[in-house]
């Protein structure tokens, strides 16, 4: 359940990317789509940066024992 909101943002980012590819540069919504895509990508990037250190600190190498 915790990944569902992030998954929605990820899917929306992909949809924005595809929509931007098919929107002419002369269309009035093109700059707005670019901004929305940039904001969405920055959000996902910041989440990824926060999760990576936590994931590495919780990783236990094979053969090692994790003590509390």
């Amino acid at each position: 359940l915790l990944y569902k909101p992030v998954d929605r943002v990820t899917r929306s980012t992909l949809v924005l990317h595809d929509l931007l590819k098919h929107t002419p540069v002369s269309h009035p919504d093109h700059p707005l789509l670019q901004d929305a895509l940039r904001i969405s990508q920055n959000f996902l990037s910041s989440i990824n940066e926060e999760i990576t250190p936590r994931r590495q600190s919780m990783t236990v190498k094979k053969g090692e024992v994790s003590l509390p």
Side-chain angles (χ1 to χ4, degrees):
L1 289 175
L2 295 176
Y3 286 107
K4 199 157 193 106
V6 176
D7 185 48
R8 286 183 183 156
V9 175
T10 303
R11 282 186 281 147
S12 297
T13 302
L14 294 172
V15 170
L16 282 170
H17 188 269
D18 287 343
L19 187 57
L20 192 58
K21 280 194 314 190
H22 298 289
T23 304
V25 177
S26 60
H27 194 281
D29 289 339
H30 193 271
L32 297 172
L33 290 171
Q34 284 180 320
D35 287 343
L37 180 61
R38 180 184 47 79
I39 290 167
S40 181
Q41 288 174 332
N42 287 343
F43 174 75
L44 290 173
S45 187
S46 68
I47 288 177
N48 193 30
E49 288 173 2
E50 289 179 20
I51 291 174
T52 301
R54 289 183 195 159
R55 188 174 289 159
Q56 288 174 348
S57 69
M58 294 187 325
T59 303
V60 178
K61 293 181 183 175
K62 188 175 181 178
E64 290 183 0
V65 177
S66 177
L67 298 176

